[in-house]
Amino acid sequence: MTDITRAALEADMLRREIERHNQLYYVEAKPEISDYDFDMLLEKLIRLERQFPELVTPDSPSQRVGGSVTRVFASVQHREPMLSLSNTYSSGEVEEFYTRLGKLLLLEGLEDGEMVAELKFDGVAVSLLYHNGILVRGATRGDGLSGDDITANIKTIPSIPLRLPDGAGVDGEIEVRGEVFMRREDFDRMNDSRPDEDRFANPRNATAGTLKLQDSAEVARRKMSFVAYFLKGPGAGGDSQFDRLVRLEGLGFYTGGHYRLCRGVQEILAFIDEWSQKRRTLPYETDGVVLKLNDAALWDRIGATAKSPRWAIAYKYPAEEAKTILLDVVFQVGRLGTITPVAELEPVLLAGSTVSRSTLHNFDEIQRLGLMLRDRVIIEKSGEVIPKVKRTVLEERPLDAAPIVLPESCPECSSTLVRPEGEVSFYCPNEDGCPAQIRGRLLHFASRHAMDIQTLGEALVDQLVSKGLVKDAGDLYFLQEPQLEQLERMGRKSAQNVLRAIDESRSISYERLLYSLGIRHVGRATARELANAYPDMEALRHAREEELSMVPDIGPVVARSISEYFARPAFTELLEKLRQAALQMRASEPKLQINRNFEGMTVLFTGTLEAHGRQEASELVLERGGRVVGSVSKKTSLVVAGRDAGSKLEKALKLGVRVITEDEFTAML
Ligand code: IVH
């Protein structure tokens, strides 16, 4: 056997094995091997394919890690229009739909038909084409007739099979439609690593934004999922929607599994009712129920209006609402100077928690809502993470309602506010002098994912700034014990603790230092890319805007913001202090050599580590794509047990979490 034949056989075997484990993990939620072993298989395949590039196939799991960059998405025609559904909001409307459909069925000489009730996933619709069982195209809905070809991005989604099972009878072309979505957990992880100013409001927006990214490697990192609800083509299997869903599962697609065949309107309403609360326990967002005529052979005969079929409808659950009183509006100044109006509300219970504040986003929003102080307002919580003020109840406006006065100057430093052209927000332009901005920057600098100086909380920062002891993060490193001791609630002991924590932060990596600076639009991911491209602060500082925009993940807006930041005289001062304080101004080792062996893993250290300090060990995991946690749960991927490990180790063993020694950890690095 020649080398290449042997390699071809091995690659084929690896691919099948990897896809099988992928299925077990992402579709069936029954993993058989650890994430680590899985990554090893994948790495082996990638190595083999690098050695023999002619062996790379379009359905190889190696394609899932992304990497290709698409400049513009090609527009592609759908095989048949991707219709949308008309919405209903009450059981009455559902009954009307059912009666209407019954009449249409009578015209066909049929008694009322069975319906399939499915959950309505809150994501983004896509169409997938398979040719002889191989995924050849993924496209967005677009205008329904043609959409964008987003195949490279689609291939990064692990729950989408790149190849359908052999012998499944899927010759020729079949089309699968469904929804790309983000599980809440994946959404939170992704969103938390973004700078505040770039956070997505909910998983659906994040999904839509991610599918449009041109860099498929970034798409892969964001972890999206896919649920299938439509199948067409030879081998579609059965001529009912129910059978097709079962068939989709047989082909390796995730359907969510929560669909039901309903006879008569009562069973439909019972399904809607049952899921109205239960849906909150699902790990992803759903916003309603979709009802489809089960007999797919009738779909064409019953037909569609211009926009939506007559044989299906969506029922949307009402967003949870509550009525309360607007007590006051306060204006907060963020660390980037943005003025955010915040509604202070009479506390009210909404979707299981008490709400007493809610952001009003910007001044336009206050105007749009026509808000006045003491108004009765409806607040709502839908797919959004934070509740929002939806509307004013004008009929109940009290006689003493008072207008909300929008500030013209900064509530903190009285500078005249500015509104950059084309932006919705007002800003305080006093970047270097506004105490609110200084405090915000310091708190960001000290935050967990930044320099992680835990003793530096809000109360202390307030005092440091108002007493003029600290003007920027650099000043922290020159604080003296007597200066701290004179502050409120600060004894000798706490002062020493604070200084020690500040001191320890000197060893935090260059990459994290970059994130800690709080440059607009630079979150953790961007900081990592920056550190890779410019492993030295001096080089980064002198990089020109055009150069910066060549760095992966950095577009023109971000490049502009970075170069503006470095051009500020205040930054030169800060940099000088940080340098004198001996912070990490360059990457510790060439970033390219670092593997991603801990990608997606949550790691816990317990007991005493001999070879590495805690801080260092944590850094090593972070650099390799993992996360470090402080307590064990079923979801913990790995526990590293050092000398004298105690209760956490016991708990890990009880929960069946993988436990390794420090030596094994070092080997994994
Ligand atoms: S069926 C003609 N089923 O909701 C059939 N759609 O408002 C069209 N959606 O565009 C779609 N879950 O993006 C269908 N189980 C489900 C769904 C679902 C979510 C989305 C889909 C569609 C929109 C219609």
Side-chain angles (χ1 to χ4, degrees), residues 423-495:
E423 290 199 30
V424 284
S425 292
F426 279 82
Y427 292 86
C428 163
N430 184 11
E431 282 176 333
D432 301 324
C434 176
Q437 294 188 49
I438 297 175
R439 288 197 307 265
R441 280 196 294 267
L442 287 169
L443 284 169
H444 170 77
F445 186 83
S447 63
R448 190 155 65 92
H449 296 297
M451 302 302 272
D452 195 21
I453 312 175
Q454 290 182 8
T455 49
L456 207 64
E458 231 165 285
L460 179 55
V461 166
D462 279 359
Q463 293 193 70
L464 290 173
V465 174
S466 64
K467 294 242 159 43
L469 292 173
V470 169
K471 211 165 74 37
D472 63 27
D475 294 335
L476 293 173
Y477 296 91
F478 298 93
L479 284 170
Q480 303 291 330
E481 207 180 299
Q483 292 176 306
L484 286 179
E485 270 179 45
Q486 58 168 31
L487 301 178
E488 278 165 43
R489 274 173 293 151
M490 190 50 78
R492 173 115 181 273
K493 192 110 185 67
S494 2

Side-chain angles (χ1 to χ4, degrees), residues 14 49 60 82 102 173 192 195 373 390 409 416 478 561 586:
L14 279 168
E49 288 182 350
S60 173
M82 277 181 89
E173 187 173 271
D192 286 351
L373 294 179
K390 186 183 174 196
S409 56
T416 305
F478 298 93
S561 149
R586 37 182 326 152

Side-chain angles (χ1 to χ4, degrees), residues 401-435:
I404 297 165
V405 185
L406 300 182
E408 282 169 12
S409 56
C410 173
E412 290 271 349
C413 72
S414 308
S415 306
T416 305
L417 300 182
V418 295
R419 181 185 211 164
E421 203 167 304
E423 290 199 30
V424 284
S425 292
F426 279 82
Y427 292 86
C428 163
N430 184 11
E431 282 176 333
D432 301 324
C434 176

Side-chain angles (χ1 to χ4, degrees), residues 83-85 87 118-121 125 179 229 290 292 309 311:
L83 299 175
S84 115
L85 297 171
N87 289 325
E118 300 167 22
L119 291 182
K120 185 167 177 333
F121 281 68
E179 204 85 347
Y229 49 65
V290 177
K292 296 172 190 166
W311 44 266

Side-chain angles (χ1 to χ4, degrees), residues 334-348:
R335 70 180 164 86
L336 297 164
T338 324
I339 310 290
T340 308
V342 176
E344 302 210 313
L345 306 163
E346 184 153 282
V348 63

Side-chain angles (χ1 to χ4, degrees), residues 90-102 112-115 117 261-273 291 313:
S90 66
S91 49
E93 283 178 282
V94 171
E95 284 177 50
E96 277 169 30
F97 160 77
Y98 190 73
T99 316
R100 209 161 50 235
L101 180 61
D112 51 348
E114 287 176 328
M115 305 294 291
L261 204 52
C262 296
R263 290 184 186 81
V265 76
Q266 287 320 315
E267 288 187 17
I268 293 172
L269 296 178
F271 182 90
I272 292 177
D273 189 45
L291 303 165
I313 203 157

